[in-house]
Amino acid sequence: MSIDTLRFATAGSVDDGKSTLVGRLLHDSKSVLADQLEAVAHVSRDRGQETPDLALLTDGLRAEREQGITIDVAYRYFATPRRRFILADTPGHVQYTRNMVTGASTAELTVILVDARNGVVEQTRRHAALAALLRVPHVVLAVNKMDLVDYAEPAFEAPAKEFTAYADELGIPEITSIPVSALTGDNVVEPSATMDWYDGPTVLQHLESVAVGGRPGEGPARLPVQYVIRPRSAEHRDYRGYAGQITSGIIRVGDPVAVLPTGRTSTVEAIDLLGEPVDTAWAPQSVTLRLRDDIDISRGDLIAPTGTAPTVTRNVAAVVCHVADQPLTVGQRVLLKHTSRTVKAVVDAIPSRLTLDDLSQHADPGQLTANDIGRVVVRTAEPLALDLYAECRRTGSFLLIDPVDGGTLTACMADGTG
């Protein structure tokens, strides 16, 4: 019997013990190699620590080890008999909130840590808001450091109640709260012997049992063209293929398709997968399509079924997280990168900025600064074939880029046309 895969991300404020939780999860699930554990033990001894510091299993960069904080997104792969996991350990410091967008953008579950002594703080609310904006369907609140509050039930119930109310307002569909001590291992992999008042799952039990997203290929079919294949040999003189990764849905030979943004239509004549012809392909396979008609197609075009093709527009409204140090302002000229297509654009409006404390909207702020969450309206120089993010995460998201240095400015989730 094949086992499925869960992609999940971890987030939390600085010093909430996130790296220790991830290290404990890997260690107690027997997902750490002996030489890795020995290396961690060696560094810990050099620091004068009597026991291995499990946070070092994920704090891989030298700067992270020296500063004691997570800076980059660390990906870890592990498995249990019940499920495979792809873990994105994201930074907690507000300066690196942008990295959470990267880690959680493909996640089906996010674990958000809070320190039982501090409860829900601004960074907790920011991480919850990002999880909601990124449409992460499952959120776990791990109330950590229960060993420092004598494993008292009220120390868990207070932040759990506050966070659940906040997450409900954000529209997060499922919230699970778990009291843990990453340092001692309570309720991470094994149930706690000191919190008999809690009868729910451990973190690993929940990760193993939570419902993973839909079937492969679910949703409308989308193929952003990454490369046009035109062999120059006499043998393949008439070959013309359009290569890319299917971002959602299923494509079959014989399907009528539209090429966007031009709107020209044709029929799928053949599908090549790993150099072999197939009748059917689905997300996230990388394939080469051949069409019945000779159409002018280039990198950045989108191939989709004629009946479920996305909207083509030059005015896009989106919910965004601004990730650059320099602000985003109304009237600013940017590049917009959507799948494999990059076009010139201008920021037409910034209608609102989200206030994290009470989820109110600050109207017409004029600009967004680093880590702000808000809404923008963008006008593009060329038409885009764009889905709504709520309907298709991959083809409903895009980036705003600085045209001068190529740096990412803003991560965007389309929610309409301007």
Side-chain angles (χ1 to χ4, degrees):
M1 182 181 70
S2 61
I3 59 175
D4 54 26
T5 301
L6 173 69
R7 300 182 68 106
F8 73 100
T10 58
S13 192
V14 174
D15 294 331
D16 281 353
K18 182 171 46 60
S19 293
T20 302
L21 176 76
V22 174
R24 173 65 66 183
L25 186 63
L26 296 173
H27 178 272
D28 289 6
S29 63
K30 307 296 190 293
S31 301
V32 181
L33 297 176
D35 59 341
Q36 292 176 300
L37 193 58
E38 176 55 35
V40 167
H42 178 73
V43 174
S44 300
R45 285 193 299 271
D46 288 346
R47 291 178 169 184
Q49 296 170 292
E50 295 182 1
T51 58
D53 182 356
L54 297 181
L56 297 176
L57 289 171
T58 53
D59 286 344
L61 299 178
R62 175 176 294 180
E64 293 176 343
R65 295 196 299 268
E66 291 175 349
Q67 297 181 46
I69 62 172
T70 302
I71 295 174
D72 202 359
V73 179
Y75 288 93
R76 294 293 181 268
Y77 307 86
F78 68 102
T80 68
R82 298 188 61 180
R83 180 168 278 175
R84 291 185 297 266
F85 300 96
I86 301 175
L87 184 162
D89 182 26
T90 68
H93 196 285
V94 63
Q95 178 183 352
Y96 304 109
T97 299
R98 66 199 81 176
N99 299 57
M100 186 202 169
V101 177
T102 302
S105 61
T106 58
E108 296 177 273
L109 181 147
T110 295
V111 179
I112 299 178
L113 266 74
V114 298
D115 187 324
R117 300 168 299 175
N118 302 327
V120 175
V121 297
E122 181 182 6
Q123 190 68 341
T124 310
R125 290 190 286 270
R126 181 176 282 108
H127 286 148
L130 286 175
L133 295 179
L134 293 166
R135 301 279 174 170
V136 180
H138 309 284
V139 171
V140 172
L141 177 72
V143 182
N144 192 26
K145 303 191 180 182
M146 290 297 295
D147 55 305
L148 300 182
V149 292
D150 297 325
Y151 300 101
E153 185 175 5
F156 163 70
E157 288 184 337
K161 183 178 180 180
E162 181 182 352
F163 182 85
T164 299
Y166 187 81
D168 283 342
E169 287 189 63
L170 289 168
I172 294 174
E174 181 186 285
I175 306 111
T176 302
S177 299
I178 304 174
V180 303
S181 171
L183 186 64
T184 60
D186 289 88
N187 286 336
V188 179
V189 172
E190 300 296 334
S192 173
T194 55
M195 289 185 279
D196 54 5
W197 45 264
Y198 174 75
D199 59 2
T202 67
V203 173
L204 183 60
Q205 286 171 347
H206 185 70
L207 294 176
E208 287 182 323
S209 60
V210 71
V212 173
R215 301 179 302 275
E218 192 172 54
R222 302 286 184 262
L223 179 78
V225 176
Q226 296 180 6
Y227 190 68
V228 179
I229 300 176
R230 290 292 303 272
R232 300 302 180 185
S233 64
E235 180 183 359
H236 300 95
R237 181 175 53 191
D238 297 327
Y239 187 98
R240 186 182 180 95
Y242 310 103
Q245 183 184 51
I246 303 174
T247 59
S248 63
I250 300 174
I251 299 177
R252 299 177 177 86
V253 172
D255 282 352
V257 294
V259 179
L260 304 172
T262 64
R264 295 285 300 274
T265 59
S266 185
T267 302
V268 178
E269 187 170 66
I271 305 172
D272 296 329
L273 174 66
L274 300 175
E276 299 293 333
V278 296
D279 293 328
T280 305
W282 53 84
Q285 292 177 331
S286 295
V287 299
T288 300
L289 298 188
R290 287 180 279 157
L291 304 184
R292 185 168 299 167
D293 302 284
D294 187 10
I295 299 176
D296 183 17
I297 301 175
S298 58
R299 174 182 169 84
D301 288 345
L302 185 73
I303 299 175
T306 53
T308 58
T311 300
V312 175
T313 183
R314 290 177 56 184
N315 296 282
V316 184
V319 179
V320 308
C321 177
H322 187 62
V323 301
D325 292 328
Q326 65 268 37
L328 184 75
T329 59
V330 175
Q332 186 171 343
R333 297 186 180 277
V334 296
L335 295 177
L336 188 154
K337 179 173 176 53
H338 173 248
T339 64
S340 55
R341 185 177 181 84
T342 302
V343 299
K344 295 180 180 179
V346 63
V347 179
D348 255 3
I350 302 178
S352 62
R353 182 183 69 237
L354 180 68
T355 303
L356 292 172
D357 287 336
D358 58 4
L359 295 178
S360 62
Q361 297 288 339
H362 177 72
D364 298 319
Q367 67 175 17
L368 297 177
T369 58
N371 300 311
D372 276 349
I373 297 170
R375 296 191 76 253
V376 301
V377 178
V378 180
R379 176 166 41 90
T380 62
E382 302 172 37
L384 289 176
L386 200 70
D387 285 294
L388 298 181
Y389 186 82
E391 299 172 359
C392 194
R393 290 171 80 178
R394 286 287 298 277
T395 49
S397 58
F398 59 92
L399 298 175
L400 300 183
I401 296 172
D402 188 331
V404 176
D405 62 13
T408 299
L409 299 172
T410 314
C412 310
M413 286 69 73
D415 66 352
T417 56

